[in-house]
Amino acid sequence: MAYSKDQLLARLKELQIEFSQYEHPVVLTVEAQAKYVGNLGGALSKNLFLKDKKHRYYVVSALADTKVDLKVLSQRLGLGKGGLRMAAEEALVEILKVPLGCVTPFAVVNESARHVSLLLDQGFKTQEYCFFHPLSNDMSISLNAHGLDKFLKSIGRDPSYVDLEANPPVGKDQPPDLAAFVPSDAPILSDLPVKAPTQDSTGKHVSAASNSAAVAAKAIKPSGNAQNVKEKPVNTVQPSIPAADAGNFVEELLDRASALLLSEISEDSIKQHSGQLGAEVANNIKKCLREDLKNLAVSIIW
């Protein structure tokens, strides 16, 4: 069974970890959380759930104003420039056992997350206390780095703090400085099945990415009707896409579309575009995905 918010709070009290708790409406962004606890003096945190190409998972927890460049972080882990991407929402539920908007260092308490690597911003140590969601985004709790360390050690985790803004050179004579954080004992997992439709931060269903992925996947494989327009030569074998490759292709599209969608929707964009937000987000996603889709299509066809 997954840890609940109440169980986590009870665990912190059992460990005699000092913390304060603040209930508020459900929030999906740091900006939204700031409206309720941003005036209390503590530092806000942002938390990313990432995966690499071998389906190994990472939680990166940082101060809200820390700039986390995924390309740089990927290189520092020894995964190449494009080795990291946002994990699918389904992985949140399956592995971290939390819904969207609830990623937190506390989520590694669950047994299903035992192979998930946790990277903490060294900036946490400079703060009097920091805010995190206690496995549920209808509450924020504040505690200091010492209290977080005590909790992590109680579940067998050795807290690892790193400079997430550093960009050290990586090369033949300069090995990746964060390579030790790549889960070496993690099983190689296949992509989790994608559920559709999901919801965005406004509560509206998001199905455009799924539909686009399905259309793109179908477009790669010639239809039976198109093949029958001209008489086929005898013994000619038509190229086809293996089911596994097609599945990976669609999953790749969905992951990219989901990550882009989440990055496009913010408090600022909602205020700026208002009623035109949907069209603006759709146009930006098309623009960002166009070349990726071409490259993915070519790589699968050939």
Side-chain angles (χ1 to χ4, degrees), residues 273-293:
H273 301 291
S274 186
Q276 300 299 317
L277 179 62
E280 183 69 19
V281 169
N283 289 335
N284 287 342
I285 290 179
K286 286 180 182 178
K287 185 187 303 181
C288 294
L289 285 181
R290 184 170 287 111
E291 288 303 315
D292 285 337
L293 295 181

Side-chain angles (χ1 to χ4, degrees), residues 72-191:
V72 172
L73 182 59
S74 181
Q75 283 188 301
R76 294 177 65 190
L77 289 166
L79 304 174
K81 283 187 177 180
L84 283 178
R85 64 175 185 250
M86 299 295 292
E89 182 180 348
E90 288 70 29
L92 289 175
V93 178
E94 185 70 21
I95 298 174
L96 296 187
K97 304 296 185 184
V98 296
L100 187 66
C102 300
V103 178
T104 163
F106 296 117
V108 298
V109 67
N110 291 304
E111 175 64 18
S112 53
R114 66 187 181 280
H115 295 299
V116 175
S117 181
L118 174 63
L119 282 73
L120 300 169
D121 190 345
Q122 67 178 18
F124 286 145
K125 290 187 172 183
T126 67
Q127 304 297 317
E128 184 178 356
Y129 53 90
C130 303
F131 287 99
F132 302 94
H133 292 311
L135 305 179
S136 178
N137 55 355
D138 60 357
M139 176 184 287
S140 295
I141 63 173
S142 63
L143 75 170
N144 57 30
H146 175 72
L148 179 60
D149 290 351
K150 188 173 183 179
F151 169 77
L152 291 173
K153 290 177 181 178
S154 77
I155 60 172
R157 291 274 184 162
D158 185 19
S160 301
Y161 292 87
V162 300
D163 181 357
L164 292 171
E165 291 188 332
N167 187 8
V170 176
K172 182 178 180 181
D173 300 320
Q174 297 164 309
D177 64 315
L178 300 182
F181 294 103
V182 176
S184 58
D185 58 344
I188 304 301
L189 303 173
S190 60
D191 276 333

Side-chain angles (χ1 to χ4, degrees), residues 46 48 50 60 62-63 66-70 73 164-165:
K46 58 184 177 184
L48 307 175
L50 310 171
V60 177
L63 292 173
T66 294
K67 297 179 181 178
V68 182
D69 188 321
L70 293 189
L73 182 59
L164 292 171
E165 291 188 332

Side-chain angles (χ1 to χ4, degrees), residues 22 43 47 53 67 107 114 156 158 169 171 180 188 204 236 241 248 263 279:
Y22 307 90
N47 299 273
K53 293 181 179 179
K67 297 179 181 178
R114 66 187 181 280
D158 185 19
I188 304 301
K204 295 181 180 180
T236 297
I241 304 171
N248 290 335
S263 67

Side-chain angles (χ1 to χ4, degrees), residues 260-272:
L260 282 170
L261 182 62
L262 289 175
S263 67
E264 288 289 335
I265 297 177
S266 65
E267 294 290 322
D268 291 339
S269 64
I270 292 173
K271 292 177 181 178
Q272 181 179 354

